[in-house]
Amino acid sequence: MESALKETIRQKASKSLGISPEDARISKSYLFVAFAALLLGGILGLLQGLNRAGLLELPSWLNYYQVLTAHGVLLVLVLTAFFTIGYFYAGLSHTLGGLLPKVRKMAWIGFSMKIIGFVFAVIPILMNEASVLYTFYPPMAAAPPFYIGLVLIVLGVWMCAFGAFINVANWRKNNRGKNIPIFSFFATGVFVLLFFGSIPVAIEVLTIIPWSFGWVDTINVMVSRTLFWAFGHTLVNIWYLTAISAWYVIVPKIIGGRRFSDTLTRIVVILLVVMNIPGGFHHQIIDPGISEEVKFLHVFMSLSIAFPSLMTAYAMFSVFERTGRRKGGKGLLGWYKKLPWGDVRFLAPMIAMISFIPAGAGGIVQSTNQLNQVVHNTLWIVGHFHLTVGTSVILTFFGISYWLVPYISKRTLTPKMNRLGVIQTIIWTVGMLFMAGSMHWVGLLGAPRRTSYTTYGENATALGWDPFMILIAIGGTLLIVGVILQVYAVFHLMFRAPKGDTEFPIADKEDDDTSTPYWTERWGQWIVLLLLLVAMGYVLPLVEFIIDAPPGSPPFKTW
Ligand code: HEM
Ligand SMILES: [Cu+2]
């Protein structure tokens, strides 16, 4: 009780003081880059959609695969990384009583490293020397600066992860025996995953660099792909964990309710962090040379992530129902009418959650050996991740932006901007229904992903895909309208909206919530467990790939 009281007083104090200008500047810069990436990446996405529908021929100086590489890099690497860091740093500052000066410096060094790395990576992409797609697997080889840029980006992310660890450790030193505030608990989980999840890709890139320079002749493709997906699969769950931090902590406050059980929330975070990394082979289900047992193990681990997801679904709907009933909602479903559907800060993450239901089901389909054979490398996959990251995650980020950007800019969300946000959310949802829906369907009919417009010599099957491709182009056109509205909203909230104080909305626990056991704080143990599971998933296959190595591959330029 006493600690709850202190907590409230502290929150009140930091609420009235707001975020310090130094901390705000960090988050503002990160979010600015994130939304600039959305604008550029969105325009490129539209070009792809129109090209694949046969509606637009790209000029001779712009290659489809070059555009696709930039679209992937801008949206899944730049947008998500910069948003995640800007968001969590604002929340660390808010819940831990400000960032330490040292941590601020690290955030800026990290920022510069990522920007310099990005410039290094982008120049060869612009020169069509790095159209290797955002997955950059060997044997396709880009010009060396592309990989050097990636190394700098990873180091920049590590800088931010360590900054977060230092700030959290400092808080713990000053608050012995206490659970860290729930938002910072999520941040810790995300940065732990970011750090450990990006070690494999760092190793991969370090082995690619000498090969792309021509200092070594060949590379072990199986090892590279495996290291990539140990990272890629983790990255997906980093986005997911970031999104659910807002679902568990922020959304209940916005609807005027309380959080779901604090202990359960922390267990979900721990499970997602610990079980995550050894799932990467579900992206390589039809790769040759990997034993069935290992594939099975990884599929098991990936599906075990569905367990905390189901816990999340239960928790969220429980919060909605409780809150709706407290506000007078009657009957079996009457509570849903009491939810603030006209508030973009609720509507966007709510649609995000709902779209995660089919998105998650699609993920289970892909993790199933037999079904994977049907959808592998078809447009189904592209539909899947536009639903997961392009809708569940991004719509949550959009919803966050309507309070986070005013919060760090000391401005307010006006009813007019809120209305614009609601319209934006609806346009995005409809656009994605068209685009991702058609992609799923045409993927089942066999249309391949990552392929520019072709009719395969007027082949009848390929011609049958055309109507769906037109729907994809229509969806893409709606989405670009959504992108422009969203970027306008962020720009407006950052620089133009009326001055004033906006709250960082963190929901309280229920009054009758049980106290949280302190063992949830043992991050050292969770990390040991994480490493053990990583060893279980990866040591044997990697040793096998290296000892019984397939013939190495020279670099190829396929575009
Ligand atoms: C204006 C909105 C968007 C449009 C019109 C769009 C359209 C497309 C199209 C047509 C493709 C694929 C093509 C192919 O396989 O040939 C694609 C690929 C992709 N998109 Fe989007 N997209 C949009 C937004 C997003 C967002 C918000 C994200 C993630 C945050 C995203 C992530 C990706 C990724 C990762 C790929 C795969 C790249 C690859 O295969 O290497 N897209 N997009
Ligand atoms: Cu995965």
Side-chain angles (χ1 to χ4, degrees), residues 459-525:
N459 175 287
T461 305
L463 289 178
W465 302 331
D466 277 357
F468 295 96
M469 297 298 188
I470 300 288
L471 290 177
I472 291 173
I474 294 173
T477 309
L478 282 173
L479 286 169
I480 196 69
V481 176
V483 165
I484 291 167
L485 291 182
Q486 176 62 32
V487 172
Y488 169 74
V490 168
F491 178 82
H492 188 271
L493 292 170
M494 209 176 258
F495 302 112
R496 292 264 187 281
K499 296 252 176 204
D501 282 325
T502 294
E503 180 196 11
F504 194 110
I506 293 193
D508 290 324
K509 299 209 276 187
E510 289 283 2
D511 292 333
D512 59 356
D513 197 4
T514 51
S515 69
T516 309
Y518 189 67
W519 55 255
T520 50
E521 295 296 326
R522 298 203 180 116
W523 280 100
Q525 273 180 25

Side-chain angles (χ1 to χ4, degrees), residues 45 48 52 64 71 75-76 134 385-386 435 449-451:
Q48 289 155 207
R52 294 210 56 161
Y64 183 84
H71 178 75
L75 292 172
V76 296
Y134 82 99
F385 58 67
H386 282 94
M435 191 174 92
R449 69 183 284 204
R450 295 180 156 175
T451 308

Side-chain angles (χ1 to χ4, degrees), residues 38 41-50 52 64 68-69 71-72 75-76 79-80 133-135 379 382 385-386 389-390 394 398 428 432 435 439 448-452 472 475-477 479-480 483:
L38 173 69
I43 295 170
L44 298 174
L46 179 66
L47 297 184
Q48 289 155 207
L50 295 177
R52 294 210 56 161
Y64 183 84
L68 190 53
T69 304
H71 178 75
L75 292 172
V76 296
L79 164 63
T80 56
L133 308 181
Y134 82 99
T135 43
L379 274 175
V382 187
F385 58 67
H386 282 94
V389 60
I394 292 298
F398 290 173
W428 194 268
M432 272 303 176
M435 191 174 92
M439 283 172 163
R449 69 183 284 204
R450 295 180 156 175
T451 308
S452 68
I472 291 173
T477 309
L479 286 169
I480 196 69
V483 165

Side-chain angles (χ1 to χ4, degrees), residues 531-542:
L531 292 174
L532 283 175
L533 287 175
V534 171
M536 171 188 85
Y538 283 107
V539 169
L540 277 182
L542 279 173

